[in-house]
């Protein structure tokens, strides 16, 4: 787990909510505090899609690309939000590919890679985390994800400071 402070919140928010850099993530939860508080549960209600489930909702969580405009509409306005939190996961196929690239025996069936994006008191932080679903003495997956996420931010020109 690593905690990173974003150096330019305005530029980051534009990237997160208007850009495509985070579109490959899945949303687990969004909590937005403005004049009201809003909570979005990113778990897909698969019964809503009926027979179209494989095409319309291939994941248990909503794709960020499908939800980010809703979050943007809740956040935009004259006033800075009081705060927000987004809990996002890496798509399973990307998790498995990253683990395989680093010669790990684990897959997305064993571990989920997560980021927690939080804005409070004018400061934006991102915490990377790994959720292990099985027992493993090998903890290298944590370092694999932390390093990969920092490379992701750097590649997308998002400036950060490790706390």
């Amino acid at each position: 787990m690593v905690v990173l402070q974003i150096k330019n919140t305005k530029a980051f928010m534009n990237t997160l909510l208007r850009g495509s850099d985070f579109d490959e993530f899945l949303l687990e939860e969004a909590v937005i505090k403005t004049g009201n508080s809003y909570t979005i549960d990113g778990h897909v209600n698969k019964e809503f899609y009926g027979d179209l489930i494989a095409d319309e909702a291939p994941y248990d969580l909503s794709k960020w690309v499908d939800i980010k405009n809703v979050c943007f509409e809740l956040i935009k306005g004259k006033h800075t939000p009081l705060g927000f939190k987004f809990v996002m996961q890496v798509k399973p196929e990307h998790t498995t590919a990253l683990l395989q690239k680093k010669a790990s025996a684990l897959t997305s069936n064993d571990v989920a890679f997560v980021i927690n994006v939080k804005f409070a008191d004018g400061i934006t932080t991102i915490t990377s985390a790994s959720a292990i679903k099985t027992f493993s003495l090998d903890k290298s997956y944590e370092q694999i994800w932390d390093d990969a996420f920092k490379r992701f931010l750097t590649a997308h020109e998002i400036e950060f400071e490790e706390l």
Side-chain angles (χ1 to χ4, degrees):
M1 179 175 83
V2 65
V3 180
L4 308 171
Q5 182 173 329
I6 300 301
K7 290 187 174 184
N8 185 334
T9 293
K10 185 175 182 177
F12 172 74
M13 290 307 298
N14 190 51
T15 298
L16 180 68
L17 296 170
R18 303 304 287 163
S20 60
D21 298 6
F22 287 84
D23 285 358
E24 288 297 309
F25 284 84
L26 303 173
L27 180 71
E28 185 173 332
E29 179 185 42
V31 177
I32 299 167
K33 294 181 180 181
T34 58
N36 297 98
S37 293
Y38 304 93
T39 301
I40 298 171
D41 181 350
H43 292 85
V44 174
N45 296 319
K46 293 195 175 205
E47 61 275 9
F48 177 80
Y49 296 99
D51 294 337
L52 301 173
I53 189 67
D55 297 328
E56 296 292 324
Y59 303 103
D60 291 334
L61 299 174
S62 297
K63 293 183 273 186
W64 175 245
V65 69
D66 295 337
I67 300 291
K68 70 181 180 180
N69 288 335
V70 173
C71 295
F72 176 73
E73 289 299 320
L74 293 172
I75 290 173
K76 76 176 186 176
K78 295 178 188 177
H79 302 285
T80 301
L82 296 174
F84 59 75
K85 177 181 77 166
F86 300 118
V87 180
M88 303 167 85
Q89 282 189 20
V90 175
K91 288 181 178 176
E93 62 268 26
H94 298 313
T95 298
T96 296
L98 180 59
L99 290 165
Q100 287 175 345
K101 183 177 173 183
K102 297 297 183 178
S104 174
L106 298 172
T107 69
S108 61
N109 292 327
D110 305 311
V111 66
F113 292 145
V114 178
I115 59 169
N116 293 298
V117 180
K118 183 180 176 185
F119 174 77
D121 301 322
I123 297 171
T124 302
T125 58
I126 303 177
T127 305
S128 66
S130 305
I132 190 79
K133 302 173 190 175
T134 185
F135 178 76
S136 175
L137 292 173
D138 179 10
K139 302 293 182 198
S140 64
Y141 62 89
E142 294 173 344
Q143 192 65 48
I144 290 169
W145 174 230
D146 291 344
D147 292 344
F149 187 64
K150 288 189 276 189
R151 283 192 311 274
F152 170 85
L153 291 176
T154 300
H156 291 278
E157 300 179 353
I158 299 169
E159 295 182 34
F160 62 89
E161 176 182 334
E162 194 165 342
L163 300 178

